[in-house]
Structures are given as C-alpha cells and as structure tokens.
Amino acid sequence: LTFPLLSVTLLVSFGSSMLYGYNLAVVNSPAVHIKAFYNTTWARRYGHGLAPGPLTLFYSLTVSIFALGGLVGSLLVGLLVERYGRNGALSRSALLILLAGGFMGFSRELGSPEMVIIGRSITGLHSGRCCLGCRAMHGPFLMARSPAHSQGTGEDFIFPMATGSANLRGFLGLVPSVFICLGVFFAQVLGLPELLGEDRFWPLFLSVVVVPASLQLLLLHCFPESPRYLLIERNDVCGTTKALRQFLGTPDVQDVIEEMKEEQRSLSSMEMVSVWQLLRDRSVRWQTLSVAVVNAGMQLSGIDAIWFYTTIIFENAGIPVSQIPYTTVGTGAIEVVMGLIGCFTIEKLGRRPLIITGFCTMGICLAGITVSLLLQTALPWMRYVVVACVIGIIAGFCMGPAGIPFLMTAELFTQSHRPAAYIVGGSLNWLCNFTIGFIFPFLQMSAGAFCYLVFCGICLLVALYIYLVIPETKNKTFMEISHIFA
C-alpha cells in the first residue's frame, strides 16, 4: 500500500467510521445531565417536571433517533457517490456534522431539547452515508478490480486493486471496525469527569464531532478524486491518470486504466439487480437469508444496549458511581485491542471461527450478567463479574461480529447482486439498531436481569445458523461459494 492510498483510507475511516463509533457511545456518560436538562426545560415550559416513564421515553428517542437517520443516510449513499464522487459526497456529509454540532452545542443555551434530538438524527444521517461508504465502497473511492479479474470474490466492489491479492480482503474489511472501536474509546475518555463529563460541558461533549469532520473537510482536497469515479462516471482519462499516479506512486498506470476500462465495459453490459429482484431470486435465497441473519444478529446481539447504556448497566450492578467512568474507559481500551486482534488474525483463522466464537462468547457473557445480577444481593463481589461479562461481550463482538457481516455481504454475491444485498443488510442493521436503542430501557424495567437472556438466545441462534449454513469464504471465489450453498 502506497502512502497516498493508505492516507486516504485512514482519512475516510477517521471522519466516517470513527465518528460513527463516537456517536454510538457519546450519549452514555452524560445521560444523567441530559435527562436533568429535559426535566428542567419541561418544568420551565409547563410548570411541572416529567414523570419517569415519559422522561425515559424522551431520552430513548434521543438515543435511538441516531439509527433512523443512519437508515435514511445509508439509502442515499450510492446516489450521492454516483453524482458527486467520493470527495463531493464526503464533503457534503461533513457539512451535515457541522450543522448537527451547532444544534447540539447550542441546545442548552436556547433551552431546546428538540435541538438535541435533531442534532442526533443529523449525525445518524451522516453516519449512514459515510460509514456504509467507508465499509462498502472502498472500490469506488480507491480503484476497484474488474469483475473479470476478481472472479466474483468481492474485490471488484470493496477492495483496492493496490492490494494485489485476495488474501488482504479480510484485513481491509475490518479496518473500519477498528476505527469504530477507537471512536467509542475516545467518547469514553472524553466523558471522564476530569474532561467533558461534568454537567456544564455535555453540549460541548456532544458537539466535539465537528472537529474530525472539519479536518476531513479540509484534508479531502489534498487528495485527488476516486480514479474509478473519474474514469467510469465522468470519462476523464487525464484526471484518472493523474490520480492513479499519485495513489500508486508510479508513472506507468496504463495497465490499470485498461483494466478499469474493461470494468466499465463489463458494467455497461451488466444488469444490476433491484432489492425486490434479489429477494425473489431463488438462486441466491440462502445467501440473502444469511446476509439478513448476520446483519440483524449483529445489532440484536445486545451490543448497542452495552454501548448506549453502559452507565445504567453498571449502576444496576452496584458499581460505585465514581468508578463507573473509569470502568467504562477500561472496557473501551479492551475493545480497541480486540478489534486489532480480529483485524490481524482474520486471514489466518478465517471468517467462520471468528464470528462463531464472537457470538458464542457474547451469548455466554450475557447469560453471565443475568446470573450475576440475580446473585449480587447475596454475593456483593458479583458486581465485578458483571464488569467482566461486559468486557467479554465487547471483546467477542469486536473480534468478529463487528465487521465480518459487512465482509460476508460482499463475498456472498457477484457485482450485479451486491448493491441490493448491501441495501438489505444495511437497512436491517439500522432498523435493529433503532429497535434496541429505543426499547432496551423499557425492557430492562419490565424484565430486570432476565432481559439479557433475550440477547443471549439471539447470539447463540445466530452462531448456530452460521455454523450450519454459511461456509468459510476466505480466498474463495463467488462461484465456489455459490456451489457450496447449492
């Protein structure tokens, strides 16, 4: 990987995946302060505060509206990249973050909880557009292998030609997941009482997202546009040549241009499958079902409840309030380490062992939380078992389920089916994210410690499905994978 190619990959991940991770965890530590702000504002407007139920509803909407924005953004990402290119689409998305930061940053000064909710929905819109773009469109903004050369392995859509080999697909596919973990970790660090964890700083804490977005907006102009976009969408041979020379660090790029022209001819003769056609296509029904299962299972595994409501979970476990921020930071650090381990071992161990082990680990630890909470009255030290179980859930998730579902979506389909498959998987991903973010507080109030058994069952069932149905896709072509499914 040349330095310009690596730089633009890291820049896109920094301003996209890391922001997504930050926004997942940023509402965790200031939850008490945000609820107090909502209650105070309501009392000022109507002469009485909010009851616990409506207050929980109001805060759950604040947390989960992020996912609805993400759903809308993920459906628009292809249109934006096709119309504006990589740089144009990312620049417009960065401007959205500046708008969202303004809404959230001035919400308390203007006494408007609505501005917090609007800001959260806009950050979700940005994450849907950019995070899916970072995961699913490495090809469009770096340069992709043609379907003829990649033999349907997935490289033609996601992985940059500069890798030169299919054996880096897994590594590059999990790079965005590492940045998501870093985003979560930074949110946990900034949420410490010594930094932005105090009541007076929570609007600033929410609006810190403008910093990486601004850096991305400034630095994007230092890099040329996507070579693939310049050639295939705009037919700009001169611009493509210049961009390729900068990315690859070599003046001889004619072979690459010819390969991309071959891709252009292939795409012009290829009929892209719609979502409805994908769902009705019996030849790929097991692949489609598998994408639905792993993407929905990833979000229904309970990881969103852990990220969104870590503080509440630790409070219910009896962890002293003063220790919770530091405990949370410790879990975030382990999260980053496990993400890196998964990234560097996926090509050695394969997809199936990592994702099955990850889901099984999560299921066992979720059951462990239930047992620990039930026994904590008799055994006070069980609170530390809860912390260990939370760490196990996060470690299991980052080891495989965090990124492999997106990778599998690419590897199970040819180019004609892949965009529709990403729409199906991405839509389920965001809808399940919204569902968990919205209902978890109410599920916790009604079921108590037993609410984690729901997630435990889902994790174990998804692991069983993967074990029985989904083959190992490492270093296999689409035809080989399709034959195994058949």
Side-chain angles (χ1 to χ4, degrees), residues 160-218:
M161 180 180 170
T163 61
S165 173
N167 63 8
L168 287 178
R169 293 203 317 254
F171 173 81
L172 292 175
L174 292 191
V175 166
S177 299
V178 175
F179 276 87
I180 292 175
C181 296
L182 283 172
V184 172
F185 178 64
F186 286 148
Q188 293 166 340
V189 171
L190 290 178
L192 291 173
E194 293 84 356
L195 297 175
L196 300 180
E198 295 184 9
D199 178 49
R200 56 181 176 147
F201 290 134
W202 70 260
L204 177 61
F205 186 29
L206 295 183
S207 59
V208 162
V209 291
V210 303
V211 176
S214 300
L215 288 174
Q216 186 186 63
L217 189 62
L218 293 173

Side-chain angles (χ1 to χ4, degrees), residues 124 139 253 347:
V253 295
E347 290 302 342

Side-chain angles (χ1 to χ4, degrees), residues 18-189:
M18 198 170 78
L19 272 184
Y20 169 67
Y22 184 89
N23 285 309
L24 282 175
V26 72
V27 290
N28 185 22
S29 61
V32 175
H33 309 314
I34 296 175
K35 288 180 181 179
F37 166 65
Y38 286 176
N39 204 29
T40 302
T41 305
W42 193 271
R44 189 182 303 119
R45 289 181 182 179
Y46 303 106
H48 59 86
L50 284 163
L55 181 59
T56 301
L57 179 65
F58 213 175
Y59 181 72
S60 297
L61 180 63
T62 304
V63 171
S64 58
I65 197 71
F66 170 77
L68 287 186
L71 174 62
V72 176
S74 65
L75 296 176
L76 296 175
V77 64
L79 177 64
L80 287 170
V81 173
E82 181 180 349
R83 177 173 297 182
Y84 301 112
R86 176 208 65 206
N87 286 1
L90 291 176
S91 296
R92 285 163 174 79
S93 296
L95 291 174
L96 280 179
I97 282 293
L98 301 182
L99 177 63
F103 270 106
M104 295 184 292
F106 292 103
S107 58
R108 186 170 62 179
E109 296 297 324
L110 298 177
S112 175
E114 295 83 1
M115 292 178 67
V116 180
I117 297 174
I118 293 172
R120 284 282 295 171
S121 65
I122 295 175
T123 58
L125 185 64
H126 168 271
S127 292
R129 288 163 65 167
C130 287
C131 191
L132 181 62
C134 186
R135 287 179 178 274
M137 296 192 304
H138 273 84
F141 64 69
L142 291 175
M143 57 274 169
R145 296 196 66 150
S146 68
H149 286 76
S150 65
Q151 301 178 9
T153 59
E155 293 167 282
D156 53 305
F157 190 65
I158 293 185
F159 304 101
M161 180 180 170
T163 61
S165 173
N167 63 8
L168 287 178
R169 293 203 317 254
F171 173 81
L172 292 175
L174 292 191
V175 166
S177 299
V178 175
F179 276 87
I180 292 175
C181 296
L182 283 172
V184 172
F185 178 64
F186 286 148
Q188 293 166 340
V189 171

Side-chain angles (χ1 to χ4, degrees), residues 73-389:
S74 65
L75 296 176
L76 296 175
V77 64
L79 177 64
L80 287 170
V81 173
E82 181 180 349
R83 177 173 297 182
Y84 301 112
R86 176 208 65 206
N87 286 1
L90 291 176
S91 296
R92 285 163 174 79
S93 296
L95 291 174
L96 280 179
I97 282 293
L98 301 182
L99 177 63
F103 270 106
M104 295 184 292
F106 292 103
S107 58
R108 186 170 62 179
E109 296 297 324
L110 298 177
S112 175
E114 295 83 1
M115 292 178 67
V116 180
I117 297 174
I118 293 172
R120 284 282 295 171
S121 65
I122 295 175
T123 58
L125 185 64
H126 168 271
S127 292
R129 288 163 65 167
C130 287
C131 191
L132 181 62
C134 186
R135 287 179 178 274
M137 296 192 304
H138 273 84
F141 64 69
L142 291 175
M143 57 274 169
R145 296 196 66 150
S146 68
H149 286 76
S150 65
Q151 301 178 9
T153 59
E155 293 167 282
D156 53 305
F157 190 65
I158 293 185
F159 304 101
M161 180 180 170
T163 61
S165 173
N167 63 8
L168 287 178
R169 293 203 317 254
F171 173 81
L172 292 175
L174 292 191
V175 166
S177 299
V178 175
F179 276 87
I180 292 175
C181 296
L182 283 172
V184 172
F185 178 64
F186 286 148
Q188 293 166 340
V189 171
L190 290 178
L192 291 173
E194 293 84 356
L195 297 175
L196 300 180
E198 295 184 9
D199 178 49
R200 56 181 176 147
F201 290 134
W202 70 260
L204 177 61
F205 186 29
L206 295 183
S207 59
V208 162
V209 291
V210 303
V211 176
S214 300
L215 288 174
Q216 186 186 63
L217 189 62
L218 293 173
L219 294 176
L220 270 175
H221 299 289
C222 299
F223 297 95
E225 184 53 85
S226 158
R228 185 179 185 275
Y229 170 77
L230 291 172
L231 184 66
I232 295 179
E233 299 294 339
R234 295 176 57 181
N235 201 29
D236 183 358
V237 179
C238 292
T240 303
T241 303
K242 182 179 178 181
L244 284 172
R245 285 173 176 170
Q246 183 170 344
F247 277 130
L248 296 181
T250 176
D252 185 14
V253 295
Q254 191 58 39
D255 290 344
V256 181
I257 292 177
E258 290 302 321
E259 188 175 348
M260 293 171 68
K261 286 183 177 180
E262 184 179 345
E263 179 189 3
Q264 186 179 26
R265 290 189 291 269
S266 299
L267 290 176
S268 63
S269 62
M270 182 185 299
E271 182 180 355
M272 305 306 288
V273 173
S274 68
V275 172
W276 179 241
Q277 290 173 323
L278 175 70
L279 296 177
R280 295 184 61 188
D281 190 344
R282 298 177 65 88
S283 66
V284 293
R285 61 182 177 181
W286 279 105
Q287 290 94 318
T288 305
L289 179 60
S290 299
V291 165
V293 169
V294 295
N295 278 277
M298 177 175 62
Q299 298 297 341
L300 296 177
S301 64
I303 189 62
D304 288 318
I306 300 296
W307 276 336
F308 288 148
Y309 302 106
T310 307
T311 299
I312 296 175
I313 292 172
F314 284 160
E315 285 179 357
N316 292 337
I319 302 297
V321 176
S322 60
Q323 296 179 13
I324 289 177
Y326 307 98
T327 307
T328 303
V329 169
T331 64
I334 294 173
E335 182 177 347
V336 174
V337 172
M338 295 306 299
L340 288 170
I341 291 175
C343 194
F344 285 102
T345 59
I346 185 171
E347 290 302 342
K348 292 182 179 180
L349 299 178
R351 283 69 161 146
R352 271 169 49 93
L354 283 178
I355 194 169
I356 291 174
T357 302
F359 274 118
C360 288
T361 301
M362 294 178 72
I364 294 169
C365 291
L366 285 160
I369 290 181
T370 298
V371 174
S372 301
L373 292 176
L374 292 175
L375 297 178
Q376 69 175 347
T377 303
L379 303 171
W381 53 268
M382 277 292 178
R383 70 184 66 172
Y384 302 108
V385 177
V386 173
V387 175
C389 289

